[in-house]
Amino acid sequence: MGSTKTTTPSSPHLLQPLITIDASISLFLYTLFKPILPTFLLLFLEYSADFRFSFPVSLSLFLASPSFSSLTIPLLLGHLLDLALIGLIKLTFRRARPHYNPNMSPAVHADNFSFPSGHTSRALFLSTLFHLIVQHNEDLVSDFIQRWIKFEPGFVLLGVWVWAIMTATSRVLLGRHFFFDVLAGAVVGALEGIVAYRFLRF
């Protein structure tokens, strides 16, 4: 008499309910704001936080201001840390981007994946690092800002944070990322800013 083989159904993915909620929230926000917000603004925020833009700008600051090297070196090294860390996480999780993601040209293979948001991590890295620099080097930074930008440091700092939050939000509203991708990117970026300020200053 042949033995009967019993098969047990595989247990559902533990994170699946969370992923489903995340996808629903993201689609709702994308659908709600797409007709309202101008696409050019969202694309401007996207380009402003792109590594291919922010790293050359940081390198230019480093080369143009040797006396500020103790502040611009963590800016450069933090960019490289962010690029490596986000790429590694994306290649580990390999979460597909939203199906409604408009046409985009990935610069590297890791850009095909969604989790976490690299633009968000970069924006939060920059705003956190700038916040710490202003907080702990007030006189030096104040002189530089008032000489070249002609605004109060506190006003510039507020502008940087507003830009970072708008950039993070735009990743969902542009359809590039899911909501939790952006949250994860924000946490990673803030931690990178702290690490760069505390440990990457030479």
Side-chain angles (χ1 to χ4, degrees), residues 16-65:
Q16 194 55 51
L18 201 57
I19 292 171
T20 304
I21 292 170
D22 182 27
S24 302
I25 292 172
S26 305
L27 180 59
F28 171 75
L29 292 173
Y30 172 75
T31 309
L32 180 65
F33 287 101
K34 187 175 183 292
I36 303 170
L37 295 175
T39 307
F40 78 86
L41 172 63
L42 301 178
L43 289 174
F44 169 77
L45 292 168
E46 178 174 71
Y47 295 143
S48 68
D50 194 295
F51 180 87
R52 291 166 291 185
F53 173 75
S54 60
F55 185 77
V57 169
S58 304
L59 185 59
S60 302
L61 284 173
F62 170 71
L63 296 174
S65 313

Side-chain angles (χ1 to χ4, degrees), residues 16-129:
Q16 194 55 51
L18 201 57
I19 292 171
T20 304
I21 292 170
D22 182 27
S24 302
I25 292 172
S26 305
L27 180 59
F28 171 75
L29 292 173
Y30 172 75
T31 309
L32 180 65
F33 287 101
K34 187 175 183 292
I36 303 170
L37 295 175
T39 307
F40 78 86
L41 172 63
L42 301 178
L43 289 174
F44 169 77
L45 292 168
E46 178 174 71
Y47 295 143
S48 68
D50 194 295
F51 180 87
R52 291 166 291 185
F53 173 75
S54 60
F55 185 77
V57 169
S58 304
L59 185 59
S60 302
L61 284 173
F62 170 71
L63 296 174
S65 313
S67 56
F68 286 87
S69 59
S70 64
L71 303 179
T72 51
I73 285 175
L75 182 63
L76 287 173
L77 295 180
H79 266 91
L80 298 175
L81 172 67
D82 176 72
L83 187 69
L85 189 55
I86 292 297
L88 179 63
I89 299 173
K90 283 189 175 190
L91 290 172
T92 301
F93 287 92
R94 294 176 174 264
R95 184 183 192 187
R97 287 186 181 266
H99 64 84
Y100 47 85
N101 175 33
N103 295 332
M104 62 172 285
S105 307
V108 291
H109 178 58
D111 280 347
N112 289 304
F113 304 115
S114 187
F115 180 88
S117 164
H119 281 72
T120 302
S121 69
R122 204 166 300 114
L124 266 292
F125 153 68
L126 290 170
S127 53
T128 302
L129 179 61

